[in-house]
Amino acid sequence: REREGAARTMMQATVAERFWDKVAISDGCWLWTAGRKGNGYGSFSERGRSVSAHKWSFEAEYGPVPLGLQIDHLCLTLRCVRPSHMEAVTQTENLRRRAALIAQCPQGHPYTPENTRLHAQGHNRVPSRRCRICLRSRSGERQRRYRARRRAREREGVPPE
């Protein structure tokens, strides 16, 4: 049994050494220099399975991420693996923090209190923001298409729906 424990400890040290060899340590963020997933987060292989580099670093320092929580980068740098730059939070809190950083909708309209509509979505009712200008624009487009279809039916003699 002692031998198994020693072998396991040696293997862990090897995993840790492999991990930290892929990190550029500085005064600020500790940047992951190896492969990344499509979402921008670092990716690390441990015992044949892929794990997020920031999660591995967090767990090496603080232990397992509590059930129902996820790791949030306080520094907003997805490649950062410095444990002190991370915090375990709920998904709702993580999404709320991310949304607060986005100042405008994808079309460039500002998310001001007058131009923002909150919309709860998903099974856990996570609030998301909707741009009122874009919503009105889409509503107007739908109305125009509906009226055009209705006029075309009337010209063809088809009764309205």
Side-chain angles (χ1 to χ4, degrees):
R1 289 215 176 251
E2 268 184 57
R3 275 181 123 171
E4 286 176 15
R8 201 174 293 123
T9 304
M10 209 167 78
M11 191 171 123
Q12 281 294 347
T14 306
V15 170
E17 288 170 4
R18 272 192 327 108
F19 181 87
W20 294 111
D21 282 347
K22 297 169 174 41
V23 178
I25 295 178
S26 68
D27 290 338
C29 291
W30 296 353
L31 298 181
W32 183 251
T33 61
R36 289 188 279 163
K37 298 177 183 177
N39 59 9
Y41 290 99
S43 181
F44 180 66
S45 181
E46 181 183 25
R47 293 188 191 100
R49 66 181 182 97
S50 178
V51 294
S52 294
H54 68 288
K55 184 177 178 189
W56 191 95
S57 173
F58 182 91
E59 289 182 338
E61 180 74 17
Y62 303 115
V65 177
L67 194 62
L69 299 183
Q70 54 188 224
I71 304 305
D72 181 25
H73 281 89
L74 300 172
C75 60
L76 307 176
T77 305
L78 301 183
R79 290 176 47 208
C80 181
V81 295
R82 188 171 191 165
S84 63
H85 287 199
M86 296 178 241
E87 181 181 14
V89 297
T90 63
Q91 180 182 21
T92 302
E93 177 62 16
N94 200 0
L95 292 173
R96 187 192 64 73
R97 289 177 180 181
R98 294 297 142 268
L101 298 172
I102 300 170
Q104 59 191 21
C105 79
Q107 279 64 48
H109 306 121
Y111 278 130
T112 61
E114 302 79 27
N115 187 42
T116 304
R117 182 175 144 217
L118 292 177
H119 174 74
Q121 64 184 25
H123 69 280
N124 57 359
R125 310 303 291 166
V126 175
S128 67
R129 296 181 296 179
R130 301 274 175 93
C131 171
R132 290 183 187 271
I133 295 170
C134 291
L135 288 171
R136 278 193 300 272
S137 171
R138 281 187 224 118
S139 175
E141 288 172 24
R142 280 194 301 268
Q143 287 269 336
R144 284 189 289 282
R145 285 195 306 267
Y146 170 76
R147 288 184 186 129
R149 281 194 313 271
R150 196 166 143 194
R151 282 192 298 273
R153 284 193 180 108
E154 287 172 359
R155 281 193 299 267
E156 294 171 5
V158 177
E161 299 173 341

